[in-house]
Amino acid sequence: MTADQLLDQLNTSALWVPAAGTAALGLTAGAVGSFAVLRRQSLQGDAVAHAALPGVAAAFLLGGRAPLALVAGGAAAGWLAMLIVAQITKRSRVPFDSALAGVLAVFFGLGLVLFTYIQRNVRGAALTPLERYLFGQAALIGVPDMWLISGFGLAALALLALFWKQFKVVSFDPAFATGLGVPVRAVELLLTTLTVVAVVIGLKAVGVVLMTALLIAPCVAARQWSDNLGRVVVLAGLFGAMAGAGGTVASHLLSYQFPKTGSVPTGPTIVLCATALVLLSLLLGAARGRVRKRLRPRATPAV
């Protein structure tokens, strides 16, 4: 590929609209997902992603075709699933992870049944391929999708900043937060809602299976660079944005460079970029990186 061809490929809205959308998605998912990781609830995002499928299908059956309507349906189903998990753990001895796995399986199965019904029985289903929400197709993100992701992402980040102190104390010490008068359940519900928003707006881009990686990987990478919560959240957002935009650009250029192999899927490429950031951070991270630890001088024992 010559320099002129490279510039032609980079200077196109077919690349930068999806890149902007996936960068906004990565920024939101990285920042919000940091709290799920720190609260040891990393699989919550996976459960929300799978549980959103019947909501997307139900919105389609009710006549929703616009991205906002489908996202709203997915968000309602994901939020309902998390409420069911909370009630199960509150009113029984079923542990959180078991309740999460059970609800995930039930909602995902229902979603697949509804998807199959729509494909076989609903006219015009081919015009809005719902399998994009299952496997992701970031390369086909349009301007409406980009504004949808950016708008909801900005709202989620604004709430994250507004309730920063509450989120921080509840994440590290819920008992202490209760003593301070913080409404712990309400704060946890708001955190869950932000996770639902971050997951649902990303389903069309990276799909159900890969969305969890975009929530978890940026925080894992950021954790290697700092022990300060604020820095970790900011770095996780930046790493998520880098993975989103970088994976989209890499997928576009590889598809152009090797046309005989077919188009390189954008969602998996984004996840591979996020994984590369994790591996580099594990090696070079200023706080916990392996190389940094080896170069750090060892303390001389007292005589």
Side-chain angles (χ1 to χ4, degrees):
M1 183 185 299
T2 64
D4 290 338
Q5 290 175 327
L6 176 62
L7 290 175
D8 288 339
Q9 287 301 309
L10 291 176
N11 188 25
T12 172
S13 61
L15 170 61
W16 290 114
V17 169
T22 52
L25 171 62
L27 176 64
T28 305
V32 173
S34 297
F35 285 92
V37 174
L38 294 173
R39 296 168 66 207
R40 302 182 185 276
Q41 295 181 358
S42 301
L43 290 180
Q44 188 182 68
D46 191 32
V48 170
H50 286 77
L53 284 183
V56 172
F60 187 89
L61 287 172
L62 292 173
R65 298 295 185 271
L68 180 59
L70 297 176
V71 165
W79 194 69
L80 176 61
M82 291 302 100
L83 286 182
I84 293 174
V85 170
Q87 290 300 312
I88 291 174
T89 54
K90 178 183 177 182
R91 300 178 183 275
S92 70
R93 294 186 177 182
V94 178
F96 177 79
D97 56 347
S98 299
L100 202 65
V103 171
L104 179 155
V106 171
F107 273 71
F108 186 59
L110 176 61
L112 290 180
V113 169
L114 292 176
F115 270 42
T116 303
Y117 173 82
I118 289 171
Q119 290 175 346
R120 294 180 179 178
N121 299 282
V122 178
R123 292 183 178 180
L127 299 177
T128 309
L130 294 181
E131 63 270 12
R132 293 178 185 174
Y133 292 86
L134 186 59
F135 301 108
Q137 219 165 4
L140 297 181
I141 289 178
V143 174
D145 300 309
M146 181 193 69
W147 286 117
L148 179 71
I149 293 172
S150 301
F152 277 96
L154 183 61
L157 294 177
L159 287 173
L160 200 63
L162 184 62
F163 294 97
W164 174 260
K165 293 181 179 179
Q166 290 84 347
F167 290 156
K168 182 177 180 179
V169 68
V170 168
S171 297
F172 284 101
D173 197 337
F176 180 65
T178 302
L180 292 176
V182 177
V184 174
R185 289 186 180 178
V187 172
E188 289 179 340
L189 184 61
L190 181 56
L191 268 174
T192 299
T193 302
L194 294 183
T195 303
V196 170
V197 171
V199 168
V200 172
I201 62 175
L203 289 183
K204 188 174 181 180
V206 296
V208 165
V209 180
L210 300 176
M211 188 59 215
T212 308
L214 205 54
L215 278 171
I216 297 173
C219 179
V220 174
R223 191 70 181 87
Q224 313 308 312
W225 293 92
S226 178
D227 293 322
N228 179 273
L229 176 62
R231 293 174 185 171
V232 167
V233 172
V234 171
L235 283 174
L238 291 176
F239 286 152
M242 289 170 59
T248 304
V249 173
S251 170
H252 180 83
L253 293 179
L254 287 172
S255 298
Y256 176 79
Q257 183 67 21
F258 304 104
K260 293 183 179 180
T261 61
S263 61
V264 177
T266 306
T269 308
I270 291 173
V271 174
L272 289 176
C273 287
T275 304
L277 288 172
V278 171
L279 294 176
L280 288 174
S281 298
L282 288 171
L283 289 174
L284 305 176
R288 297 166 179 261
R290 299 293 299 176
V291 174
R292 180 77 173 185
K293 286 184 178 180
R294 289 185 179 275
L295 295 177
R296 188 178 301 161
R298 296 182 179 179
T300 305
V303 179

